[in-house]
Amino acid sequence: MKRNLFMTLLAAICLMACAETKTEIKVKGDLGDPAPTFLYGMFDRSMYADGQLADGIVTFTIDTTDATFATIGRSADRRNPLCTVVLDGKPIEVTIEDGKATVTKGSDLNMKFAEANDRIEMASSPMEDLMKAYREANEKLGGQIPDSMMADFDKRYEDIMADVVATQKQIIQENKDNLLPIYFLRAGGDELGVEFIEAFLKDYKFKDNKMLEPVVASISGEKNKLPGAMVVDFVGKDLNDKECHLTDYVGKGKYVLVDFWASWCGPCRAEMPNVKACYEKYKDKGFEVVGISFDNDKAAWAKGVKDLGITWPQISDLKGWECAASDLYNIKGIPATVFFGPDGKVIKSGLRGEELGKTLAEYLDK
């Protein structure tokens, strides 16, 4: 009897420990118009709460089972985000001044998070001056920016991004004992690099947290694009509704450029003449292109192929960004490419513009 009573009490304690707590967030200061009365999950699109405005203060009260990240914004459609916080059951206070929202009170984790975001903002702050300089040059020169000047802009951009990534990595390494790396691993994305992410996750205390599942999936997709990786098959249909596989083309003795694109994608359409020129130049030398479309409308896809004069094979599952190939090859933006050798192994990925032509020449001008 005593054992049963003990187990009953233990179960009750566990239920109380696992029960939802409430996180209260107060937003004050210069609220602006509209006021920030929307709170939504940073990584959980089903999580949402309305804020109550009274006496110049917006108050959010939301049930919190497990600590997670949420963003305060001015609109329900997730535009105009102001501030991201950690929902961990502790009161949070956010102050808005001159349009900037700052966490001024919260748990130790929230204050660490706020400080980390300030460091990221500082590292990325030169980007504003760079964009201003680019816009001014573009306007002054009528859109005809010289290559030397463009190269300087590109170099400055790369340097700024390198500082941002270095700061993200430092923050991640400094917070091995808490949840903050989850946010920055997801926010940093592919820029952090597969090796860094894998090495960190190996001993990370929260490596099995559900919020990290997309990061783990991204690692797998990135590995499928690394030089030497064997082709991973994608199954879809062509414009005649015939089922086809990526491996119907890749690994069959030809050099193959897999081009991820969509009819609605402006940069994809702008890059297509370059792809076409390369295709015409090398198609009789053992080169093939296979398009994987991120369209979800077959008519639009077919029209895009016709309008752009595309003559190489096309595959799609018509699921847009939910396309299976997106996960298989971790495609976060299009146009994107993966270049395979005759043996079906990756040679290089991300080929565009002049780099595409140079790479093809290296392997096919023999």
Side-chain angles (χ1 to χ4, degrees):
M1 291 293 293
K2 289 183 178 180
R3 175 177 172 81
N4 289 340
L5 177 60
F6 172 77
M7 294 303 292
T8 301
L9 290 172
L10 182 61
I13 291 170
C14 288
L15 283 173
M16 288 188 290
C18 296
E20 291 183 337
T21 58
K22 293 186 181 295
T23 300
E24 183 180 77
I25 307 170
K26 291 189 178 294
V27 184
K28 61 182 185 178
D30 182 13
L31 298 180
D33 184 21
T37 54
F38 302 94
L39 180 79
Y40 40 83
M42 187 69 188
F43 306 128
D44 180 2
R45 299 192 71 87
S46 67
M47 190 180 75
Y48 177 85
D50 289 308
Q52 304 302 312
L53 176 59
D55 299 325
I57 297 176
V58 175
T59 301
F60 298 94
T61 304
I62 187 165
D63 292 330
T64 310
T65 302
D66 299 310
T68 188
F69 298 87
T71 298
I72 299 166
R74 298 190 185 279
S75 58
D77 58 7
R78 296 175 178 252
R79 291 183 296 177
N80 303 315
L82 278 173
C83 181
T84 300
V85 297
V86 184
L87 302 182
D88 58 2
K90 305 292 178 62
I92 303 169
E93 185 177 282
V94 175
T95 302
I96 302 176
E97 186 175 345
D98 296 329
K100 181 181 178 181
T102 304
V103 176
T104 48
K105 179 182 177 181
S107 62
D108 289 343
L109 190 60
N110 262 299
M111 299 317 294
K112 282 184 178 182
F113 188 38
E115 188 268 340
N117 281 319
D118 285 343
R119 288 164 62 184
I120 296 292
E121 184 177 348
M122 184 175 295
S124 61
S125 60
M127 193 68 76
E128 185 175 346
D129 288 339
L130 174 60
M131 292 298 102
K132 180 181 178 182
Y134 173 80
R135 288 193 297 269
E136 290 176 349
N138 195 54
E139 183 177 348
K140 181 179 180 180
L141 298 171
Q144 302 299 314
I145 299 178
D147 290 344
S148 59
M149 183 180 290
M150 198 66 226
D152 180 64
F153 283 135
D154 289 341
K155 178 65 166 57
R156 288 169 63 185
Y157 176 83
E158 290 170 2
D159 289 344
I160 294 169
M161 288 306 301
D163 286 342
V164 172
V165 172
T167 303
Q168 289 175 324
K169 288 183 176 180
Q170 187 174 18
I171 290 168
I172 289 168
Q173 294 283 21
E174 291 170 354
N175 290 278
K176 294 179 179 180
D177 61 343
N178 61 53
L179 294 173
L180 294 193
I182 293 176
Y183 176 86
F184 291 103
L185 284 169
R186 291 194 60 168
D190 304 336
E191 297 297 326
L192 295 171
V194 171
E195 290 185 5
F196 172 83
I197 296 174
E198 278 199 307
F200 177 78
L201 289 181
K202 185 177 180 181
D203 299 315
Y204 179 42
K205 182 178 179 180
F206 300 97
K207 62 183 177 182
D208 295 323
N209 190 287
K210 185 177 180 180
M211 289 186 286
L212 279 174
E213 289 177 358
V215 175
V216 175
S218 292
I219 291 174
S220 177
E222 279 299 299
K223 284 184 173 181
N224 291 338
K225 294 187 293 188
L226 293 177
M230 198 68 190
V231 59
V232 177
D233 201 14
F234 165 69
V235 184
K237 292 183 178 180
D238 63 18
L239 284 165
N240 295 316
D241 289 327
K242 178 185 176 183
E243 182 176 286
C244 44
H245 295 241
L246 183 57
T247 51
D248 291 340
Y249 305 97
V250 179
K252 302 300 183 183
K254 287 188 174 184
Y255 288 94
V256 181
L257 181 76
V258 178
D259 181 32
F260 301 90
W261 75 292
S263 65
W264 45 259
C265 169
C268 299
R269 298 179 77 100
E271 175 68 8
M272 205 58 74
N274 180 50
V275 178
K276 284 181 64 179
C278 290
Y279 178 68
E280 292 299 328
K281 184 175 181 179
Y282 293 109
K283 67 179 181 179
D284 295 327
K285 295 185 177 182
F287 176 60
E288 182 64 276
V289 179
V290 177
I292 295 183
S293 170
F294 278 40
D295 279 277
N296 50 25
D297 182 294
K298 184 181 176 183
W301 174 30
K303 186 176 187 301
V305 169
K306 181 179 179 181
D307 291 348
L308 293 167
I310 297 172
T311 57
W312 50 82
Q314 292 286 313
I315 312 174
S316 181
D317 57 14
L318 294 177
K319 294 182 179 179
W321 278 111
E322 300 301 316
C323 173
S326 177
D327 288 334
L328 289 174
Y329 290 96
N330 194 36
I331 305 300
K332 300 290 181 62
I334 51 177
T337 58
V338 181
F339 182 45
F340 291 92
D343 57 359
K345 292 182 180 179
V346 175
I347 293 175
K348 203 170 185 179
S349 60
L351 295 174
R352 291 178 61 184
E354 291 183 3
E355 189 179 3
L356 174 58
K358 290 179 180 178
T359 301
L360 293 180
E362 180 182 347
Y363 287 90
L364 292 160
D365 280 342
K366 296 177 181 179

Coordinates of all heavy atoms in Angstrom, one line a residue, residues 118-170:
D118 N 22.3 41.9 -29.7 CA 23.0 43.2 -29.8 C 24.3 43.0 -30.5 O 24.8 43.8 -31.4 CB 23.2 43.9 -28.5 CG 21.9 44.5 -27.9 OD1 21.0 44.7 -28.7 OD2 21.9 44.7 -26.7
R119 N 25.0 41.9 -30.2 CA 26.3 41.6 -30.8 C 26.2 41.4 -32.3 O 27.0 41.8 -33.1 CB 27.0 40.5 -30.1 CG 27.5 40.8 -28.7 CD 27.8 39.6 -27.9 NE 28.9 38.8 -28.4 CZ 29.2 37.6 -27.9 NH1 28.6 37.2 -26.8 NH2 30.2 36.9 -28.5
I120 N 25.1 40.6 -32.6 CA 24.9 40.3 -34.1 C 24.5 41.6 -34.8 O 25.0 41.9 -35.9 CB 23.7 39.3 -34.2 CG1 24.0 38.0 -33.6 CG2 23.3 39.2 -35.7 CD1 25.1 37.2 -34.3
E121 N 23.7 42.5 -34.2 CA 23.4 43.7 -34.8 C 24.6 44.6 -35.0 O 24.7 45.3 -36.1 CB 22.3 44.5 -33.9 CG 21.8 45.7 -34.6 CD 20.8 46.4 -33.7 OE1 20.2 45.8 -32.8 OE2 20.4 47.6 -34.0
M122 N 25.5 44.6 -34.1 CA 26.7 45.4 -34.2 C 27.6 44.9 -35.3 O 28.1 45.7 -36.1 CB 27.5 45.4 -32.9 CG 28.7 46.3 -32.9 SD 29.5 46.4 -31.3 CE 28.2 47.2 -30.3
A123 N 27.7 43.6 -35.4 CA 28.5 43.0 -36.5 C 27.9 43.3 -37.9 O 28.7 43.4 -38.9 CB 28.6 41.5 -36.3
S124 N 26.6 43.3 -38.0 CA 26.0 43.6 -39.3 C 25.7 45.0 -39.6 O 25.3 45.3 -40.7 CB 24.6 42.8 -39.3 OG 23.7 43.2 -38.3
S125 N 25.9 45.9 -38.6 CA 25.6 47.3 -38.8 C 26.3 48.0 -40.1 O 25.7 48.9 -40.7 CB 25.9 48.1 -37.6 OG 27.3 48.0 -37.2
P126 N 27.5 47.6 -40.4 CA 28.1 48.2 -41.6 C 27.4 47.9 -42.9 O 27.6 48.6 -43.9 CB 29.5 47.6 -41.7 CG 29.8 47.2 -40.3 CD 28.5 46.7 -39.7
M127 N 26.4 46.9 -42.9 CA 25.7 46.6 -44.1 C 24.8 47.7 -44.5 O 24.6 47.9 -45.7 CB 24.8 45.3 -43.8 CG 24.3 44.7 -45.0 SD 25.5 43.9 -46.1 CE 25.8 42.4 -45.2
E128 N 24.3 48.5 -43.6 CA 23.4 49.6 -43.9 C 24.2 50.7 -44.8 O 23.7 51.2 -45.8 CB 22.9 50.3 -42.7 CG 21.9 51.4 -43.0 CD 21.3 52.0 -41.7 OE1 21.4 51.4 -40.6 OE2 20.6 53.1 -41.8
D129 N 25.4 51.0 -44.4 CA 26.2 51.9 -45.2 C 26.6 51.3 -46.5 O 26.6 52.1 -47.5 CB 27.5 52.3 -44.4 CG 27.3 53.1 -43.2 OD1 26.2 53.8 -43.2 OD2 28.1 53.1 -42.3
L130 N 26.9 50.0 -46.6 CA 27.2 49.4 -47.8 C 26.0 49.5 -48.8 O 26.2 49.8 -50.0 CB 27.6 47.9 -47.6 CG 27.8 47.1 -48.9 CD1 28.9 47.7 -49.7 CD2 28.1 45.7 -48.5
M131 N 24.8 49.2 -48.3 CA 23.6 49.2 -49.2 C 23.4 50.6 -49.7 O 23.0 50.8 -50.8 CB 22.4 48.7 -48.4 CG 22.5 47.2 -48.1 SD 22.5 46.1 -49.6 CE 24.3 45.7 -49.7
K132 N 23.6 51.6 -48.8 CA 23.4 53.0 -49.2 C 24.4 53.4 -50.3 O 24.0 54.0 -51.3 CB 23.6 53.9 -48.0 CG 23.4 55.4 -48.3 CD 23.7 56.2 -47.0 CE 23.5 57.7 -47.4 NZ 23.8 58.6 -46.2
A133 N 25.6 53.0 -50.1 CA 26.7 53.3 -51.1 C 26.3 52.6 -52.5 O 26.5 53.2 -53.5 CB 28.0 52.8 -50.6
Y134 N 25.8 51.4 -52.4 CA 25.5 50.7 -53.6 C 24.3 51.4 -54.3 O 24.4 51.6 -55.6 CB 25.1 49.2 -53.3 CG 24.6 48.5 -54.5 CD1 25.4 48.0 -55.4 CD2 23.2 48.3 -54.7 CE1 24.9 47.3 -56.6 CE2 22.7 47.7 -55.8 CZ 23.6 47.2 -56.7 OH 23.1 46.5 -57.8
R135 N 23.3 51.8 -53.6 CA 22.1 52.4 -54.2 C 22.5 53.7 -54.8 O 22.1 54.1 -55.9 CB 21.0 52.7 -53.1 CG 20.3 51.4 -52.7 CD 19.1 51.7 -51.9 NE 19.4 52.4 -50.7 CZ 19.6 51.8 -49.5 NH1 19.5 50.5 -49.4 NH2 19.9 52.5 -48.4
E136 N 23.4 54.5 -54.1 CA 23.8 55.8 -54.7 C 24.6 55.6 -56.0 O 24.5 56.3 -56.9 CB 24.6 56.5 -53.6 CG 23.8 57.0 -52.4 CD 24.7 57.7 -51.4 OE1 25.9 57.6 -51.4 OE2 24.1 58.3 -50.5
A137 N 25.5 54.6 -56.0 CA 26.3 54.3 -57.2 C 25.5 53.9 -58.3 O 25.6 54.3 -59.5 CB 27.4 53.3 -56.8
N138 N 24.5 53.0 -58.0 CA 23.6 52.5 -59.0 C 22.8 53.6 -59.7 O 22.6 53.6 -60.9 CB 22.7 51.4 -58.4 CG 22.0 50.6 -59.5 OD1 22.7 50.0 -60.3 ND2 20.7 50.5 -59.4
E139 N 22.3 54.5 -58.8 CA 21.5 55.6 -59.4 C 22.4 56.6 -60.2 O 22.0 57.0 -61.2 CB 20.9 56.4 -58.2 CG 20.0 57.5 -58.6 CD 19.3 58.2 -57.4 OE1 19.3 57.6 -56.3 OE2 18.7 59.3 -57.6
K140 N 23.6 56.9 -59.6 CA 24.5 57.8 -60.3 C 24.9 57.3 -61.6 O 25.1 58.1 -62.6 CB 25.7 58.1 -59.4 CG 26.6 59.1 -60.0 CD 27.8 59.4 -59.0 CE 28.8 60.4 -59.6 NZ 29.9 60.6 -58.6
L141 N 25.2 56.0 -61.7 CA 25.7 55.4 -62.9 C 24.7 54.8 -63.8 O 25.0 54.1 -64.8 CB 26.8 54.4 -62.6 CG 28.0 54.9 -61.8 CD1 28.9 53.8 -61.3 CD2 28.8 55.9 -62.7
G142 N 23.4 55.1 -63.5 CA 22.3 54.6 -64.3 C 22.3 53.0 -64.4 O 21.9 52.5 -65.4
G143 N 22.7 52.4 -63.3 CA 22.6 50.9 -63.3 C 23.8 50.3 -63.9 O 23.9 49.0 -63.9
Q144 N 24.8 51.0 -64.4 CA 25.9 50.5 -65.1 C 27.2 50.6 -64.2 O 28.1 51.3 -64.4 CB 26.2 51.2 -66.4 CG 25.0 51.2 -67.4 CD 24.7 49.7 -67.8 OE1 25.6 48.9 -68.1 NE2 23.4 49.4 -67.8
I145 N 27.1 49.8 -63.1 CA 28.3 49.9 -62.2 C 29.4 49.1 -62.7 O 29.3 47.9 -63.1 CB 27.8 49.2 -60.8 CG1 26.7 50.0 -60.2 CG2 29.0 49.2 -59.9 CD1 26.2 49.5 -58.9
P146 N 30.6 49.7 -62.8 CA 31.8 49.0 -63.4 C 32.1 47.8 -62.6 O 31.9 47.7 -61.4 CB 32.9 50.1 -63.2 CG 32.2 51.4 -63.1 CD 30.9 51.1 -62.4
D147 N 32.7 46.8 -63.3 CA 33.1 45.5 -62.6 C 34.0 45.7 -61.4 O 33.8 45.0 -60.4 CB 33.8 44.6 -63.6 CG 32.8 44.1 -64.7 OD1 31.6 44.2 -64.5 OD2 33.3 43.6 -65.7
S148 N 34.9 46.7 -61.5 CA 35.9 46.9 -60.4 C 35.1 47.4 -59.2 O 35.4 47.0 -58.1 CB 37.0 47.9 -60.8 OG 36.4 49.1 -61.2
M149 N 34.2 48.3 -59.4 CA 33.4 48.8 -58.3 C 32.5 47.7 -57.7 O 32.3 47.6 -56.5 CB 32.6 50.0 -58.7 CG 31.8 50.7 -57.6 SD 30.8 52.1 -58.2 CE 32.1 53.3 -58.5
M150 N 31.9 46.9 -58.6 CA 31.0 45.8 -58.1 C 31.8 44.8 -57.3 O 31.3 44.3 -56.3 CB 30.4 45.2 -59.3 CG 29.2 44.3 -59.0 SD 27.8 45.3 -58.4 CE 27.3 44.4 -57.0
A151 N 33.1 44.6 -57.8 CA 33.9 43.6 -57.0 C 34.2 44.2 -55.6 O 34.3 43.4 -54.7 CB 35.2 43.4 -57.8
D152 N 34.4 45.5 -55.5 CA 34.6 46.1 -54.2 C 33.4 45.9 -53.3 O 33.5 45.6 -52.1 CB 35.0 47.6 -54.4 CG 35.2 48.2 -53.0 OD1 36.2 47.9 -52.3 OD2 34.4 49.2 -52.7
F153 N 32.2 46.2 -53.9 CA 31.0 46.0 -53.1 C 30.8 44.6 -52.7 O 30.5 44.3 -51.5 CB 29.7 46.4 -54.0 CG 29.5 47.8 -54.1 CD1 29.2 48.4 -55.4 CD2 29.6 48.7 -53.0 CE1 29.0 49.8 -55.5 CE2 29.3 50.0 -53.1 CZ 29.1 50.6 -54.4
D154 N 31.1 43.6 -53.5 CA 31.0 42.2 -53.2 C 32.0 41.8 -52.1 O 31.7 41.1 -51.1 CB 31.3 41.3 -54.4 CG 30.2 41.3 -55.4 OD1 29.1 41.7 -55.1 OD2 30.5 41.0 -56.6
K155 N 33.2 42.4 -52.1 CA 34.2 42.1 -51.1 C 33.8 42.7 -49.8 O 33.9 42.0 -48.7 CB 35.6 42.8 -51.5 CG 36.7 42.6 -50.5 CD 37.1 41.1 -50.3 CE 38.4 41.0 -49.6 NZ 38.4 41.6 -48.3
R156 N 33.3 43.9 -49.8 CA 32.8 44.5 -48.5 C 31.6 43.7 -47.9 O 31.6 43.4 -46.7 CB 32.3 45.9 -48.7 CG 33.5 46.9 -49.0 CD 33.0 48.2 -49.5 NE 32.2 48.9 -48.5 CZ 31.6 50.1 -48.7 NH1 31.7 50.6 -49.9 NH2 30.8 50.6 -47.8
Y157 N 30.7 43.2 -48.8 CA 29.6 42.4 -48.3 C 30.1 41.1 -47.7 O 29.7 40.7 -46.6 CB 28.7 42.1 -49.5 CG 27.6 41.1 -49.2 CD1 26.4 41.6 -48.6 CD2 27.7 39.7 -49.4 CE1 25.4 40.7 -48.2 CE2 26.6 38.9 -49.1 CZ 25.5 39.4 -48.5 OH 24.5 38.5 -48.2
E158 N 31.1 40.4 -48.4 CA 31.6 39.2 -47.9 C 32.3 39.4 -46.5 O 32.2 38.5 -45.6 CB 32.6 38.6 -48.9 CG 31.9 38.1 -50.1 CD 32.9 37.7 -51.2 OE1 34.1 37.8 -51.0 OE2 32.4 37.3 -52.3
D159 N 33.0 40.5 -46.4 CA 33.7 40.7 -45.1 C 32.7 40.9 -44.0 O 32.9 40.5 -42.8 CB 34.6 42.0 -45.2 CG 35.8 41.7 -46.1 OD1 36.1 40.5 -46.4 OD2 36.5 42.7 -46.6
I160 N 31.7 41.7 -44.3 CA 30.6 41.9 -43.2 C 30.0 40.6 -42.8 O 29.8 40.3 -41.6 CB 29.6 42.9 -43.7 CG1 30.2 44.3 -43.9 CG2 28.4 43.0 -42.7 CD1 29.3 45.3 -44.7
M161 N 29.6 39.8 -43.8 CA 29.0 38.5 -43.5 C 29.9 37.6 -42.8 O 29.5 36.8 -41.9 CB 28.5 37.9 -44.8 CG 27.3 38.5 -45.4 SD 25.9 38.7 -44.3 CE 25.6 37.0 -43.8
A162 N 31.2 37.7 -43.1 CA 32.2 36.8 -42.3 C 32.2 37.2 -40.9 O 32.3 36.3 -40.0 CB 33.6 37.0 -43.0
D163 N 32.1 38.5 -40.6 CA 32.1 39.0 -39.2 C 30.8 38.5 -38.5 O 30.8 38.1 -37.3 CB 32.2 40.5 -39.1 CG 33.6 41.0 -39.4 OD1 34.5 40.2 -39.3 OD2 33.7 42.2 -39.7
V164 N 29.7 38.6 -39.2 CA 28.4 38.1 -38.6 C 28.5 36.7 -38.3 O 28.1 36.3 -37.2 CB 27.2 38.4 -39.6 CG1 25.9 37.8 -39.1 CG2 27.0 39.9 -39.8
V165 N 28.9 35.9 -39.2 CA 29.0 34.4 -39.0 C 30.0 34.1 -37.9 O 29.7 33.2 -37.0 CB 29.4 33.7 -40.3 CG1 29.7 32.2 -40.0 CG2 28.4 33.8 -41.4
A166 N 31.1 34.8 -37.8 CA 32.1 34.6 -36.7 C 31.4 34.9 -35.4 O 31.6 34.2 -34.4 CB 33.3 35.4 -37.0
T167 N 30.6 36.0 -35.3 CA 30.0 36.3 -34.1 C 28.9 35.3 -33.7 O 28.8 34.9 -32.5 CB 29.3 37.7 -34.3 OG1 30.3 38.7 -34.6 CG2 28.6 38.2 -33.0
Q168 N 28.2 34.8 -34.7 CA 27.2 33.8 -34.4 C 27.9 32.5 -33.8 O 27.4 31.9 -32.9 CB 26.4 33.4 -35.7 CG 25.5 34.5 -36.2 CD 24.8 34.1 -37.5 OE1 25.5 33.5 -38.4 NE2 23.6 34.5 -37.7
K169 N 29.0 32.1 -34.4 CA 29.7 30.9 -34.0 C 30.2 31.1 -32.5 O 30.1 30.2 -31.7 CB 30.8 30.6 -34.9 CG 30.4 30.0 -36.2 CD 31.7 29.7 -37.1 CE 31.3 29.0 -38.4 NZ 32.4 28.7 -39.2
Q170 N 30.7 32.3 -32.3 CA 31.2 32.6 -30.9 C 30.1 32.5 -29.9 O 30.2 31.9 -28.8 CB 31.8 34.0 -30.9 CG 32.6 34.3 -29.6 CD 33.3 35.6 -29.6 OE1 33.1 36.4 -30.5 NE2 34.2 35.8 -28.7

